[in-house]
Amino acid sequence: THNAPNDRRIDPSPNNLIDFYILTKEYSDQYYAYIKDTSNKVAEPQIPTNDELKTNFGSIESYKSISDSIIYNSAVFKPLFGIKATPSLRATFKIVKNPNISITDNDIKSQVISAINTYFDVNNWDFGESFYFSELSAYLHTALSPNVSSILIVPTQGNFGSLFQINAEPNEIVVSAATVDNVQVISAITAAQLNQSAAGLNIV
C-alpha cells in the first residue's frame, strides 16, 4: 500500500525500471539441438524478440506498480570451447588416462563430453553466472574416476590459463559447445602440451 500526505503528489510516471531475463523452453531446446549438432544441418535459432516475450508473458504486467516499467530481455547463450564458440573461447581438453585402467581413447573422449554436457545442463546455471575451470575439473575428476588421472584445458588462442575463468553478461547463460574433436588424450603433461615455453612453468 502506497500512502502520501495531502500536500504531496505521487508521480505516476514510470520511475522503476525492472529487467526481466527470460529463457523460454522452446528457445532453449532449439539452441541445445543446434549446439550439439555436428552435421551442420541445424541452424542457430533466432533469439525471441522483446515484443514476443511481452506478448507471451504480458500477464506479469498485472503484478507491477503504476510506477514500474518492465523490460523484457531474452536469454542469450554463450557457447564455450567448441567450433561454435568465438575463437577466443575455443579450447582443447587434454586428458591423461589412468595407466592402470584398460580403456580406449575414444571411450575416454565420449565420457568426457558426456560429463561436460551434464555439467553444463541449463538447469545448473543462472543468468550472468561465471564459469570456473577449477569447479569443472573437480567435477570431471569425480565423474570420470578412476579412468582419468589429469585434466587440463588449453585455449586455442591466447595463453594457458586464460580460460580458467569466463564471465557472462547479466542476460547470458554459458553452455558447452565441445565435441570429441575438442578432447585429446595425452600420455603426460608437458610444457609442449600446454603450448607454453618451459621457462617459469611449474607442472604438478
Side-chain angles (χ1 to χ4, degrees):
T1 302
H2 297 272
N3 297 312
N6 292 332
D7 60 345
R8 299 290 181 89
R9 292 184 179 179
I10 297 178
D11 185 358
S13 63
N15 295 323
N16 303 317
L17 299 179
I18 303 174
D19 277 296
F20 269 79
Y21 299 105
I22 300 173
L23 174 62
T24 65
K25 186 177 186 306
E26 180 182 10
Y27 175 64
S28 177
D29 290 345
Q30 290 176 351
Y31 193 90
Y32 268 77
Y34 156 75
I35 207 71
K36 294 178 180 179
D37 172 58
T38 58
S39 66
N40 294 323
K41 294 181 180 179
V42 178
E44 182 175 359
Q46 294 293 320
I47 298 172
T49 66
N50 292 353
D51 289 340
E52 290 173 343
L53 293 174
K54 186 173 183 179
T55 299
N56 293 331
F57 299 94
S59 59
I60 296 175
E61 301 278 345
S62 61
Y63 296 97
K64 72 179 183 66
S65 301
I66 192 172
S67 60
D68 297 337
S69 180
I70 295 177
I71 301 173
Y72 297 87
N73 303 279
S74 174
V76 176
F77 284 104
K78 186 171 188 174
L80 310 179
F81 315 132
I83 192 66
K84 293 178 181 177
T86 58
S88 62
L89 296 178
R90 296 174 187 171
T92 299
F93 290 90
K94 300 203 173 186
I95 311 296
V96 179
K97 292 192 301 183
N98 183 345
N100 299 319
I101 301 294
S102 178
I103 187 171
T104 67
D105 290 359
N106 287 337
D107 285 341
I108 284 289
K109 292 180 180 181
S110 296
Q111 290 179 12
V112 168
I113 293 303
S114 178
I116 290 175
N117 288 339
T118 299
Y119 183 82
F120 280 95
D121 184 279
V122 68
N123 295 305
N124 297 332
W125 294 85
D126 202 352
F127 295 98
E129 189 172 353
S130 298
F131 161 77
Y132 298 95
F133 176 68
S134 58
E135 296 177 356
L136 174 61
S137 177
Y139 172 80
L140 292 178
H141 275 96
T142 300
L144 302 175
S145 176
N147 297 335
V148 169
S149 296
S150 299
I151 301 171
L152 285 176
I153 184 173
V154 179
T156 303
Q157 298 182 0
N159 297 322
F160 175 72
S162 61
L163 298 182
F164 278 12
Q165 177 179 339
I166 301 174
N167 298 323
E169 296 297 324
N171 65 329
E172 289 182 328
I173 298 177
V174 294
V175 62
S176 172
T179 67
V180 292
D181 294 332
N182 303 112
V183 181
Q184 180 183 359
V185 179
I186 59 177
S187 57
I189 299 173
T190 65
Q193 293 289 355
L194 304 181
N195 297 330
Q196 300 289 299
S197 63
L201 184 62
N202 183 19
I203 301 175
V204 179

